[in-house]
Amino acid sequence: MTEVTPVLEEPEEEDVDIADVSRVPADVLRNVEADTYWCMSRLLDGIQDNYTFAQPGIQMKVRMLEELVGRIDEQVHRHLEQHEVRYLQFAFRWMNNLLMREVPLRCTIRLWDTYQVSSAHAQLRAAAFGPISEAVV
């Protein structure tokens, strides 16, 4: 059986904030640069609608998040509705900044990596409710 690592769990690799890139061989750096460019291009292709007029990509993802939270944590969903908290009020920033302001850089990189291998954007954001759902209600 394959071990599953939670997405928001911090990896054990070297701290990306203080990593010494000068230790990486030149040929590896060239490959990393090419792979990074490809990954970023793919990421931007998938979120282009987030940054066009009326931001239809973000609007769609917020609706998906609302629907998903309504299915997986109905109590939190009802609580937000009762207090007239609209998902757009908090989820817009999540979608617009790709969670960069909400989690540490090393977790953001892990999330972005997960985005590259799946289309689980809304599911990952909904999963963030799990640990805080009792605090929300």
Side-chain angles (χ1 to χ4, degrees):
M1 179 183 249
T2 305
E3 182 178 330
V4 176
T5 303
V7 173
L8 293 178
E9 181 179 295
E10 292 194 27
E12 295 177 20
E13 290 87 27
E14 186 174 353
D15 188 350
V16 295
D17 293 323
I18 59 171
D20 184 7
V21 179
S22 66
R23 295 183 312 168
V24 180
D27 60 323
V28 172
L29 273 179
R30 281 189 297 277
N31 289 336
V32 167
E33 181 182 8
D35 291 346
T36 302
Y37 178 83
W38 180 87
C39 288
M40 187 55 106
S41 295
R42 179 147 156 55
L43 177 70
L44 292 174
D45 285 346
I47 63 171
Q48 185 173 358
D49 282 347
N50 291 6
Y51 305 102
T52 58
F53 178 73
Q55 299 170 311
I58 291 177
Q59 300 282 341
M60 179 188 66
K61 289 180 182 115
V62 169
R63 283 191 303 275
M64 287 173 55
L65 176 65
E66 184 173 358
E67 177 186 318
L68 195 56
V69 171
R71 282 189 287 151
I72 64 173
D73 200 335
E74 190 176 340
Q75 185 179 8
V76 168
H77 182 72
R78 275 196 320 261
H79 179 79
L80 292 173
E81 282 184 338
Q82 287 171 351
H83 292 280
E84 298 180 2
V85 176
R86 303 291 170 243
Y87 283 79
L88 197 56
Q89 293 171 322
F90 62 89
F92 179 85
R93 176 176 151 147
W94 293 359
M95 310 296 177
N96 197 36
N97 297 307
L98 300 174
L99 292 172
M100 285 189 64
R101 294 184 178 177
E102 279 65 36
V103 297
L105 178 61
R106 65 185 320 137
C107 293
T108 300
I109 291 169
R110 180 72 180 256
L111 280 170
W112 286 14
D113 183 56
T114 303
Y115 286 173
Q116 293 299 315
V117 297
S118 72
S119 57
H121 303 267
Q123 292 87 338
L124 290 170
R125 290 182 184 100
F129 274 106
I132 64 167
S133 70
E134 287 183 21
V136 170
V137 179

